[in-house]
Amino acid sequence: MVLRRNISFLCLLVTLTSEAISKPEYEYAVCIKEGGDYAPNSTYESNLNTVLSRLTSNTQIDYGFYNSSYGQDSDRVYATGLCRGDVTPQKCRTCLKNSSFLLLKQCPHQRRAAGGYEECMLHYSYRSVLGYYDSDFRVYLRSETSVIDWDQYSYMLNKLLSTLRVKAATTDSYLNRKYAAGNATDPSSETVHAVVQCSPDLTLAECNDCLDGAFSEIPKCCNNRSGGMVIKFSCNFRYDNSRFYEPTPDTLTLQLSSLGSPSPSPSPSPPSPTPSTTANFSETTYHGKSNRSRAVIAKYVFPTVVFVGLLIFICIYLRLRKPKKHLESEAKVDDEITQAQSSQFDFDTIRIATNNFSDANKLGQGGFGPVYKSTLFNEQEVAVKRLSSNSGQGDIEFKNEVLLMSRLQHRNLVRLLGFCFEREERILVYEFLPNKSLNNFIFDPVQRSHLDWKKRYKIIEGIARGLLYLHQDSQQRIVHRDLKLSNILLDANMNPKISDFGLARLFFVDQTQFNASKIAGT
């Protein structure tokens, strides 16, 4: 989803003094013309007030990310709120409440607006605002104080931001803040502090992309400045030469050497502080075998020449035809999932992680194929689902799941971390959920005894929230079509997560019927 060019402020610059940069009163409000205005005392205005009240009074959220919607059809209002990771829940709700007053005052009758303070951001609209989409929306906050040696200062800043980005983007759980804070110091004892944050509904790839885009704004926003902040719809970062955040045990500290004259100047985009674990696939070529046979032809046996020549031609044709078909199939899959935001794994990485798909790591067998527990190079436990050759599912279901799951992020939906398709291999990589499926608890007399009414209610409520997100609050309207006990997975805290979207279908907003070519589901 891309904002139209008629945003009233593509870039808002707020100048902060270095002495007052940590004060929360520095405000910003962006009134977005897209969607037009709503009439006074209209249904939309009533729904907007309701959704803002619900969002800012929700005491069950303790991780700084709020999402709510209210109303029907064209009068429906969507809103999200994001607070900085070190802000307490009470302070967060207060900040968002003040932001709602600010936007209603600064953007009266605007159907879409975004703004807030340095510790929080509120965004409401006539359409869903969940998920990641790049846009021209930028907010710059910067200090008036300049630094003496910007080359050394920016070198430290780039190193720090890059390290924090990796930490924030790789946060495992949807319920955790995609947030990281830290500081970097050089031999001269000069220190820079920074925080980076993504909206928790972003995938790893989306978070990295969003923050990279924000970092690239530094030359426009904050060159030679001791402090600055760039805010986008789904991510933000801030830095300063004094600490402005509450430290935690996870706060990072980097000791850096001086930039030095032999070292090259830092590039605008932050360099990676850790060894690269991503192979370079910018040019991938498939090399087929090319064995050429020379037939010894008997000059005096013409029928033999004809027969041998025809046989060789048929063999070569059949040999080349199958790989061509295979490569075309793989290219077709590639074309349709290149826009997916999940990470793509190479087959060797997954083979090593699963110990060559050892039965000792096998968790179970589904309609798609076997599922294995494995550990990636970063010690993250994952579930690997490999398409079986005798499975009733194939490329269509594989592509469907990758395309859908890469766009969906909700605490009650299983998270797709990545995928692999190489030659005949079709593999999906998910977050690992230790309690497996609800099916194991319901039909096992021993496990069933652990499901008291409180846990059952929690599971029922979680499934309902997941379905509400699919049917109403996600960017696309999605019908699962295969909801059953074995497709409800449970995490370590018995939180339910809906899985297996191979048979799911996208619906238009007003669509109520779907004509299927074959019977699907359970």
Side-chain angles (χ1 to χ4, degrees), residues 84-138:
R84 201 173 67 202
D86 62 321
V87 176
T88 64
Q90 181 177 356
K91 193 174 181 180
C92 176
R93 290 192 295 272
T94 300
C95 185
L96 291 175
K97 186 174 295 185
N98 291 336
S99 300
S100 66
F101 295 151
L102 170 69
L103 290 181
L104 291 176
K105 178 181 178 181
Q106 298 293 334
C107 307
H109 313 310
Q110 210 82 47
R111 287 167 61 89
R112 189 176 186 190
Y117 302 84
E118 59 174 322
E119 294 181 339
C120 70
M121 174 180 171
L122 178 67
H123 180 196
Y124 60 78
S125 175
Y126 63 94
R127 56 185 174 88
S128 177
V129 292
L130 280 176
Y132 172 63
Y133 54 96
D134 201 8
S135 71
D136 291 324
F137 179 88
R138 303 287 188 275

Tab-separated table of all heavy atoms in Angstrom, residues 84-138:
chain	number	residue	atom	x	y	z
A	84	ARG	N	7.611	3.861	22.581
A	84	ARG	CA	9.014	3.449	22.646
A	84	ARG	C	9.172	2.303	23.643
A	84	ARG	O	8.464	2.231	24.656
A	84	ARG	CB	9.889	4.643	23.049
A	84	ARG	CG	11.349	4.488	22.672
A	84	ARG	CD	12.114	5.750	22.949
A	84	ARG	NE	12.198	6.033	24.383
A	84	ARG	CZ	12.423	7.228	24.903
A	84	ARG	NH1	12.567	8.261	24.097
A	84	ARG	NH2	12.489	7.407	26.207
A	85	GLY	N	10.104	1.417	23.367
A	85	GLY	CA	10.202	0.166	24.115
A	85	GLY	C	10.456	0.292	25.599
A	85	GLY	O	10.141	-0.617	26.363
A	86	ASP	N	11.023	1.421	26.062
A	86	ASP	CA	11.328	1.561	27.486
A	86	ASP	C	10.217	2.277	28.258
A	86	ASP	O	10.321	2.459	29.469
A	86	ASP	CB	12.641	2.340	27.659
A	86	ASP	CG	12.545	3.752	27.089
A	86	ASP	OD1	11.923	3.922	26.030
A	86	ASP	OD2	13.099	4.684	27.712
A	87	VAL	N	9.154	2.648	27.568
A	87	VAL	CA	8.054	3.386	28.203
A	87	VAL	C	7.120	2.407	28.906
A	87	VAL	O	6.752	1.373	28.363
A	87	VAL	CB	7.283	4.206	27.148
A	87	VAL	CG1	6.082	4.904	27.770
A	87	VAL	CG2	8.207	5.224	26.502
A	88	THR	N	6.714	2.734	30.133
A	88	THR	CA	5.811	1.879	30.898
A	88	THR	C	4.416	1.891	30.282
A	88	THR	O	4.043	2.854	29.597
A	88	THR	CB	5.720	2.346	32.357
A	88	THR	OG1	5.139	3.663	32.381
A	88	THR	CG2	7.095	2.372	33.005
A	89	PRO	N	3.613	0.842	30.512
A	89	PRO	CA	2.262	0.800	29.934
A	89	PRO	C	1.401	2.012	30.301
A	89	PRO	O	0.698	2.558	29.455
A	89	PRO	CB	1.672	-0.496	30.499
A	89	PRO	CG	2.866	-1.364	30.742
A	89	PRO	CD	3.955	-0.438	31.180
A	90	GLN	N	1.467	2.436	31.564
A	90	GLN	CA	0.653	3.584	31.979
A	90	GLN	C	1.106	4.859	31.278
A	90	GLN	O	0.286	5.648	30.786
A	90	GLN	CB	0.736	3.760	33.500
A	90	GLN	CG	-0.112	4.914	34.021
A	90	GLN	CD	-0.074	5.023	35.538
A	90	GLN	OE1	0.527	4.189	36.206
A	90	GLN	NE2	-0.713	6.036	36.092
A	91	LYS	N	2.409	5.060	31.220
A	91	LYS	CA	2.941	6.247	30.543
A	91	LYS	C	2.644	6.201	29.053
A	91	LYS	O	2.391	7.231	28.418
A	91	LYS	CB	4.452	6.329	30.779
A	91	LYS	CG	5.061	7.660	30.389
A	91	LYS	CD	6.530	7.697	30.795
A	91	LYS	CE	7.151	9.043	30.417
A	91	LYS	NZ	8.594	9.089	30.804
A	92	CYS	N	2.646	4.978	28.497
A	92	CYS	CA	2.336	4.794	27.076
A	92	CYS	C	0.901	5.211	26.776
A	92	CYS	O	0.636	5.948	25.824
A	92	CYS	CB	2.578	3.341	26.676
A	92	CYS	SG	2.131	2.956	24.973
A	93	ARG	N	-0.038	4.734	27.587
A	93	ARG	CA	-1.445	5.076	27.361
A	93	ARG	C	-1.682	6.578	27.518
A	93	ARG	O	-2.469	7.170	26.765
A	93	ARG	CB	-2.333	4.282	28.325
A	93	ARG	CG	-2.402	2.808	28.018
A	93	ARG	CD	-3.513	2.129	28.815
A	93	ARG	NE	-3.244	2.161	30.255
A	93	ARG	CZ	-2.551	1.239	30.914
A	93	ARG	NH1	-2.042	0.203	30.254
A	93	ARG	NH2	-2.347	1.333	32.215
A	94	THR	N	-0.999	7.193	28.474
A	94	THR	CA	-1.123	8.636	28.654
A	94	THR	C	-0.597	9.379	27.429
A	94	THR	O	-1.209	10.342	26.948
A	94	THR	CB	-0.347	9.084	29.902
A	94	THR	OG1	-0.873	8.424	31.050
A	94	THR	CG2	-0.466	10.596	30.092
A	95	CYS	N	0.544	8.916	26.911
A	95	CYS	CA	1.122	9.548	25.727
A	95	CYS	C	0.196	9.419	24.521
A	95	CYS	O	-0.012	10.382	23.770
A	95	CYS	CB	2.479	8.913	25.425
A	95	CYS	SG	3.386	9.684	24.073
A	96	LEU	N	-0.390	8.233	24.340
A	96	LEU	CA	-1.298	8.030	23.212
A	96	LEU	C	-2.588	8.839	23.375
A	96	LEU	O	-3.150	9.323	22.380
A	96	LEU	CB	-1.617	6.539	23.070
A	96	LEU	CG	-0.462	5.647	22.609
A	96	LEU	CD1	-0.864	4.185	22.633
A	96	LEU	CD2	-0.014	6.039	21.208
A	97	LYS	N	-3.045	8.968	24.613
A	97	LYS	CA	-4.251	9.778	24.847
A	97	LYS	C	-3.974	11.241	24.503
A	97	LYS	O	-4.806	11.910	23.858
A	97	LYS	CB	-4.681	9.641	26.312
A	97	LYS	CG	-6.001	10.330	26.632
A	97	LYS	CD	-6.441	10.032	28.052
A	97	LYS	CE	-6.756	8.570	28.246
A	97	LYS	NZ	-7.307	8.307	29.607
A	98	ASN	N	-2.821	11.745	24.926
A	98	ASN	CA	-2.454	13.116	24.575
A	98	ASN	C	-2.300	13.268	23.053
A	98	ASN	O	-2.634	14.310	22.483
A	98	ASN	CB	-1.146	13.497	25.266
A	98	ASN	CG	-1.302	13.641	26.769
A	98	ASN	OD1	-2.399	13.903	27.261
A	98	ASN	ND2	-0.221	13.445	27.510
A	99	SER	N	-1.808	12.221	22.403
A	99	SER	CA	-1.657	12.250	20.946
A	99	SER	C	-3.002	12.323	20.250
A	99	SER	O	-3.153	13.003	19.230
A	99	SER	CB	-0.894	11.014	20.472
A	99	SER	OG	0.391	10.951	21.042
A	100	SER	N	-3.996	11.611	20.806
A	100	SER	CA	-5.329	11.656	20.200
A	100	SER	C	-5.930	13.061	20.327
A	100	SER	O	-6.548	13.578	19.385
A	100	SER	CB	-6.246	10.618	20.853
A	100	SER	OG	-6.490	10.931	22.219
A	101	PHE	N	-5.733	13.707	21.484
A	101	PHE	CA	-6.204	15.094	21.642
A	101	PHE	C	-5.500	16.009	20.645
A	101	PHE	O	-6.116	16.893	20.031
A	101	PHE	CB	-5.937	15.582	23.067
A	101	PHE	CG	-6.716	14.848	24.121
A	101	PHE	CD1	-6.216	14.698	25.402
A	101	PHE	CD2	-7.957	14.286	23.829
A	101	PHE	CE1	-6.930	14.023	26.378
A	101	PHE	CE2	-8.674	13.605	24.798
A	101	PHE	CZ	-8.164	13.474	26.077
A	102	LEU	N	-4.196	15.790	20.492
A	102	LEU	CA	-3.400	16.624	19.588
A	102	LEU	C	-3.893	16.507	18.146
A	102	LEU	O	-4.105	17.522	17.462
A	102	LEU	CB	-1.933	16.210	19.679
A	102	LEU	CG	-0.979	16.804	18.635
A	102	LEU	CD1	-0.805	18.296	18.871
A	102	LEU	CD2	0.370	16.092	18.680
A	103	LEU	N	-4.102	15.267	17.679
A	103	LEU	CA	-4.506	15.073	16.289
A	103	LEU	C	-5.915	15.585	16.022
A	103	LEU	O	-6.194	16.161	14.963
A	103	LEU	CB	-4.408	13.592	15.928
A	103	LEU	CG	-2.986	13.011	15.833
A	103	LEU	CD1	-3.025	11.541	15.455
A	103	LEU	CD2	-2.162	13.786	14.821
A	104	LEU	N	-6.821	15.361	16.968
A	104	LEU	CA	-8.190	15.845	16.776
A	104	LEU	C	-8.231	17.373	16.749
A	104	LEU	O	-9.089	17.969	16.081
A	104	LEU	CB	-9.088	15.307	17.888
A	104	LEU	CG	-9.354	13.797	17.866
A	104	LEU	CD1	-10.171	13.377	19.086
A	104	LEU	CD2	-10.057	13.384	16.585
A	105	LYS	N	-7.288	17.991	17.458
A	105	LYS	CA	-7.230	19.455	17.468
A	105	LYS	C	-6.547	19.990	16.211
A	105	LYS	O	-7.035	20.938	15.586
A	105	LYS	CB	-6.484	19.926	18.713
A	105	LYS	CG	-6.330	21.441	18.793
A	105	LYS	CD	-5.552	21.843	20.036
A	105	LYS	CE	-5.360	23.357	20.090
A	105	LYS	NZ	-4.583	23.761	21.301
A	106	GLN	N	-5.419	19.373	15.827
A	106	GLN	CA	-4.644	19.881	14.705
A	106	GLN	C	-5.209	19.450	13.350
A	106	GLN	O	-4.990	20.128	12.347
A	106	GLN	CB	-3.184	19.397	14.821
A	106	GLN	CG	-2.470	19.890	16.059
A	106	GLN	CD	-2.240	21.389	16.038
A	106	GLN	OE1	-2.161	22.004	14.978
A	106	GLN	NE2	-2.145	21.997	17.213
A	107	CYS	N	-5.907	18.327	13.316
A	107	CYS	CA	-6.438	17.789	12.055
A	107	CYS	C	-7.941	17.572	12.154
A	107	CYS	O	-8.424	16.425	12.020
A	107	CYS	CB	-5.743	16.475	11.693
A	107	CYS	SG	-3.940	16.567	11.663
A	108	PRO	N	-8.717	18.600	12.411
A	108	PRO	CA	-10.165	18.424	12.564
A	108	PRO	C	-10.807	17.933	11.266
A	108	PRO	O	-10.499	18.437	10.182
A	108	PRO	CB	-10.647	19.825	12.938
A	108	PRO	CG	-9.609	20.743	12.375
A	108	PRO	CD	-8.306	20.014	12.485
A	109	HIS	N	-11.652	16.923	11.396
A	109	HIS	CA	-12.428	16.375	10.283
A	109	HIS	C	-11.572	15.638	9.244
A	109	HIS	O	-12.074	15.278	8.181
A	109	HIS	CB	-13.248	17.474	9.586
A	109	HIS	CG	-13.990	18.349	10.526
A	109	HIS	ND1	-14.791	17.855	11.529
A	109	HIS	CD2	-14.051	19.713	10.629
A	109	HIS	CE1	-15.317	18.856	12.205
A	109	HIS	NE2	-14.880	20.000	11.690
A	110	GLN	N	-10.298	15.389	9.558
A	110	GLN	CA	-9.447	14.646	8.629
A	110	GLN	C	-9.658	13.152	8.855
A	110	GLN	O	-9.564	12.667	9.985
A	110	GLN	CB	-7.974	14.993	8.855
A	110	GLN	CG	-7.123	14.899	7.610
A	110	GLN	CD	-7.227	16.133	6.745
A	110	GLN	OE1	-7.140	17.247	7.222
A	110	GLN	NE2	-7.444	15.933	5.463
A	111	ARG	N	-9.947	12.403	7.796
A	111	ARG	CA	-10.205	10.963	7.941
A	111	ARG	C	-8.935	10.172	8.237
A	111	ARG	O	-9.001	9.048	8.708
A	111	ARG	CB	-10.845	10.412	6.661
A	111	ARG	CG	-12.300	10.831	6.480
A	111	ARG	CD	-12.807	10.537	5.084
A	111	ARG	NE	-12.767	9.122	4.762
A	111	ARG	CZ	-13.754	8.261	5.005
A	111	ARG	NH1	-14.853	8.678	5.616
A	111	ARG	NH2	-13.651	7.001	4.644
A	112	ARG	N	-7.805	10.791	7.971
A	112	ARG	CA	-6.537	10.114	8.247
A	112	ARG	C	-5.534	11.109	8.808
A	112	ARG	O	-5.383	12.215	8.282
A	112	ARG	CB	-5.981	9.469	6.979
A	112	ARG	CG	-4.781	8.580	7.246
A	112	ARG	CD	-4.300	7.870	6.007
A	112	ARG	NE	-3.235	6.932	6.334
A	112	ARG	CZ	-2.485	6.295	5.448
A	112	ARG	NH1	-2.696	6.485	4.159
A	112	ARG	NH2	-1.538	5.476	5.837
A	113	ALA	N	-4.827	10.691	9.871
A	113	ALA	CA	-3.825	11.561	10.485
A	113	ALA	C	-2.839	10.699	11.265
A	113	ALA	O	-3.139	9.574	11.664
A	113	ALA	CB	-4.480	12.584	11.404
A	114	ALA	N	-1.649	11.239	11.493
A	114	ALA	CA	-0.615	10.556	12.267
A	114	ALA	C	0.184	11.585	13.026
A	114	ALA	O	0.433	12.691	12.529
A	114	ALA	CB	0.297	9.732	11.352
A	115	GLY	N	0.585	11.232	14.243
A	115	GLY	CA	1.377	12.157	15.027
A	115	GLY	C	1.525	11.695	16.456
A	115	GLY	O	1.149	10.568	16.809
A	116	GLY	N	2.103	12.551	17.272
A	116	GLY	CA	2.301	12.215	18.673
A	116	GLY	C	3.476	12.957	19.253
A	116	GLY	O	3.712	14.130	18.937
A	117	TYR	N	4.229	12.258	20.082
A	117	TYR	CA	5.378	12.834	20.767
A	117	TYR	C	6.581	11.912	20.558
A	117	TYR	O	6.476	10.887	19.905
A	117	TYR	CB	5.061	13.010	22.256
A	117	TYR	CG	3.850	13.885	22.487
A	117	TYR	CD1	2.556	13.353	22.434
A	117	TYR	CD2	3.993	15.254	22.729
A	117	TYR	CE1	1.439	14.160	22.633
A	117	TYR	CE2	2.881	16.061	22.925
A	117	TYR	CZ	1.602	15.518	22.877
A	117	TYR	OH	0.507	16.309	23.061
A	118	GLU	N	7.718	12.296	21.122
A	118	GLU	CA	8.909	11.501	20.887
A	118	GLU	C	8.799	10.096	21.473
A	118	GLU	O	9.497	9.179	21.036
A	118	GLU	CB	10.137	12.197	21.468
A	118	GLU	CG	10.022	12.454	22.963
A	118	GLU	CD	11.313	13.005	23.536
A	118	GLU	OE1	12.375	12.548	23.094
A	118	GLU	OE2	11.258	13.882	24.415
A	119	GLU	N	7.930	9.880	22.459
A	119	GLU	CA	7.814	8.580	23.108
A	119	GLU	C	6.693	7.720	22.539
A	119	GLU	O	6.554	6.561	22.904
A	119	GLU	CB	7.601	8.762	24.617
A	119	GLU	CG	8.813	9.373	25.325
A	119	GLU	CD	8.588	9.532	26.808
A	119	GLU	OE1	7.396	9.547	27.215
A	119	GLU	OE2	9.573	9.640	27.556
A	120	CYS	N	5.870	8.272	21.654
A	120	CYS	CA	4.774	7.487	21.104
A	120	CYS	C	4.292	8.080	19.793
A	120	CYS	O	4.546	9.261	19.507
A	120	CYS	CB	3.601	7.389	22.090
A	120	CYS	SG	2.710	8.951	22.331
A	121	MET	N	3.595	7.247	19.026
A	121	MET	CA	3.008	7.699	17.763
A	121	MET	C	1.626	7.071	17.600
A	121	MET	O	1.436	5.877	17.861
A	121	MET	CB	3.874	7.285	16.583
A	121	MET	CG	3.238	7.591	15.228
A	121	MET	SD	4.283	7.083	13.858
A	121	MET	CE	3.157	7.324	12.482
A	122	LEU	N	0.668	7.876	17.176
A	122	LEU	CA	-0.703	7.424	16.926
A	122	LEU	C	-1.023	7.629	15.447
A	122	LEU	O	-0.654	8.640	14.860
A	122	LEU	CB	-1.679	8.221	17.793
A	122	LEU	CG	-3.170	7.915	17.629
A	122	LEU	CD1	-3.484	6.505	18.118
A	122	LEU	CD2	-4.004	8.941	18.397
A	123	HIS	N	-1.703	6.659	14.870
A	123	HIS	CA	-2.046	6.725	13.445
A	123	HIS	C	-3.459	6.175	13.277
A	123	HIS	O	-3.751	5.051	13.683
A	123	HIS	CB	-1.045	5.877	12.647
A	123	HIS	CG	-1.295	5.862	11.167
A	123	HIS	ND1	-0.736	4.922	10.321
A	123	HIS	CD2	-2.038	6.680	10.368
A	123	HIS	CE1	-1.120	5.159	9.085
A	123	HIS	NE2	-1.914	6.219	9.085
A	124	TYR	N	-4.365	6.972	12.706
A	124	TYR	CA	-5.701	6.460	12.419
A	124	TYR	C	-6.064	6.756	10.966
A	124	TYR	O	-5.542	7.675	10.344
A	124	TYR	CB	-6.752	7.010	13.384
A	124	TYR	CG	-6.934	8.504	13.404
A	124	TYR	CD1	-7.656	9.161	12.409
A	124	TYR	CD2	-6.419	9.259	14.454
A	124	TYR	CE1	-7.847	10.535	12.447
A	124	TYR	CE2	-6.600	10.641	14.497
A	124	TYR	CZ	-7.314	11.275	13.494
A	124	TYR	OH	-7.497	12.631	13.529
A	125	SER	N	-6.974	5.912	10.430
A	125	SER	CA	-7.292	6.013	9.011
A	125	SER	C	-8.636	5.352	8.725
A	125	SER	O	-9.190	4.628	9.553
A	125	SER	CB	-6.191	5.334	8.188
A	125	SER	OG	-6.518	5.312	6.814
A	126	TYR	N	-9.132	5.616	7.510
A	126	TYR	CA	-10.367	4.994	7.036
A	126	TYR	C	-10.116	3.595	6.472
A	126	TYR	O	-11.044	2.883	6.117
A	126	TYR	CB	-10.997	5.861	5.938
A	126	TYR	CG	-10.121	5.983	4.721
A	126	TYR	CD1	-10.272	5.134	3.629
A	126	TYR	CD2	-9.102	6.930	4.678
A	126	TYR	CE1	-9.451	5.237	2.520
A	126	TYR	CE2	-8.279	7.046	3.579
A	126	TYR	CZ	-8.460	6.199	2.501
A	126	TYR	OH	-7.632	6.289	1.421
A	127	ARG	N	-8.850	3.174	6.388
A	127	ARG	CA	-8.503	1.825	5.932
A	127	ARG	C	-7.458	1.241	6.869
A	127	ARG	O	-6.851	1.952	7.672
A	127	ARG	CB	-7.967	1.850	4.507
A	127	ARG	CG	-6.772	2.762	4.267
A	127	ARG	CD	-6.419	2.777	2.801
A	127	ARG	NE	-5.378	3.724	2.451
A	127	ARG	CZ	-4.079	3.466	2.472
A	127	ARG	NH1	-3.662	2.266	2.861
A	127	ARG	NH2	-3.195	4.380	2.135
A	128	SER	N	-7.265	-0.070	6.773
A	128	SER	CA	-6.368	-0.752	7.700
A	128	SER	C	-4.973	-0.153	7.651
A	128	SER	O	-4.425	0.122	6.577
A	128	SER	CB	-6.310	-2.244	7.359
A	128	SER	OG	-5.390	-2.908	8.203
A	129	VAL	N	-4.381	0.055	8.818
A	129	VAL	CA	-3.033	0.624	8.912
A	129	VAL	C	-2.049	-0.389	9.463
A	129	VAL	O	-0.920	-0.041	9.811
A	129	VAL	CB	-3.039	1.898	9.787
A	129	VAL	CG1	-3.803	3.003	9.098
A	129	VAL	CG2	-3.651	1.623	11.154
A	130	LEU	N	-2.448	-1.649	9.544
A	130	LEU	CA	-1.531	-2.697	9.979
A	130	LEU	C	-0.630	-3.109	8.825
A	130	LEU	O	-0.959	-2.940	7.656
A	130	LEU	CB	-2.299	-3.920	10.481
A	130	LEU	CG	-2.861	-3.852	11.897
A	130	LEU	CD1	-3.662	-5.113	12.187
A	130	LEU	CD2	-1.759	-3.679	12.923
A	131	GLY	N	0.496	-3.695	9.157
A	131	GLY	CA	1.403	-4.189	8.132
A	131	GLY	C	2.352	-3.107	7.652
A	131	GLY	O	2.244	-1.930	8.004
A	132	TYR	N	3.306	-3.531	6.844
A	132	TYR	CA	4.358	-2.620	6.376
A	132	TYR	C	4.133	-2.229	4.929
A	132	TYR	O	3.879	-3.068	4.075
A	132	TYR	CB	5.722	-3.292	6.505
A	132	TYR	CG	6.850	-2.515	5.874
A	132	TYR	CD1	7.200	-1.256	6.342
A	132	TYR	CD2	7.555	-3.024	4.789
A	132	TYR	CE1	8.222	-0.530	5.776
A	132	TYR	CE2	8.598	-2.307	4.211
A	132	TYR	CZ	8.923	-1.064	4.716
A	132	TYR	OH	9.936	-0.354	4.139
A	133	TYR	N	4.212	-0.966	4.671
A	133	TYR	CA	4.236	-0.476	3.304
A	133	TYR	C	5.061	0.805	3.300
A	133	TYR	O	4.931	1.654	4.173
A	133	TYR	CB	2.829	-0.201	2.770
A	133	TYR	CG	1.985	0.716	3.622
A	133	TYR	CD1	1.905	2.075	3.346
A	133	TYR	CD2	1.267	0.229	4.718
A	133	TYR	CE1	1.139	2.919	4.119
A	133	TYR	CE2	0.505	1.059	5.498
A	133	TYR	CZ	0.435	2.405	5.196
A	133	TYR	OH	-0.313	3.236	5.984
A	134	ASP	N	5.959	0.905	2.356
A	134	ASP	CA	6.811	2.080	2.298
A	134	ASP	C	6.011	3.253	1.736
A	134	ASP	O	5.096	3.084	0.938
A	134	ASP	CB	8.038	1.805	1.432
A	134	ASP	CG	9.159	2.771	1.741
A	134	ASP	OD1	9.020	3.539	2.715
A	134	ASP	OD2	10.175	2.758	1.018
A	135	SER	N	6.360	4.428	2.156
A	135	SER	CA	5.647	5.618	1.714
A	135	SER	C	6.565	6.817	1.847
A	135	SER	O	7.706	6.716	2.289
A	135	SER	CB	4.380	5.822	2.548
A	135	SER	OG	4.733	6.218	3.866
A	136	ASP	N	6.060	7.978	1.489
A	136	ASP	CA	6.831	9.209	1.603
A	136	ASP	C	6.704	9.843	2.984
A	136	ASP	O	7.228	10.933	3.213
A	136	ASP	CB	6.369	10.211	0.543
A	136	ASP	CG	6.748	9.772	-0.853
A	136	ASP	OD1	7.833	9.189	-1.002
A	136	ASP	OD2	5.958	9.988	-1.782
A	137	PHE	N	6.006	9.180	3.879
A	137	PHE	CA	5.809	9.741	5.215
A	137	PHE	C	7.120	9.715	5.997
A	137	PHE	O	7.711	8.663	6.208
A	137	PHE	CB	4.747	8.937	5.963
A	137	PHE	CG	4.489	9.431	7.369
A	137	PHE	CD1	3.548	10.418	7.600
A	137	PHE	CD2	5.188	8.906	8.445
A	137	PHE	CE1	3.309	10.869	8.890
A	137	PHE	CE2	4.952	9.352	9.728
A	137	PHE	CZ	4.011	10.334	9.955
A	138	ARG	N	7.597	10.876	6.409
A	138	ARG	CA	8.788	11.001	7.233
A	138	ARG	C	8.583	12.143	8.222
A	138	ARG	O	8.007	13.177	7.887
A	138	ARG	CB	10.033	11.340	6.400
A	138	ARG	CG	10.355	10.351	5.296
A	138	ARG	CD	10.906	9.041	5.835
A	138	ARG	NE	11.376	8.192	4.762
A	138	ARG	CZ	10.610	7.366	4.048
A	138	ARG	NH1	9.302	7.291	4.308
A	138	ARG	NH2	11.123	6.615	3.093
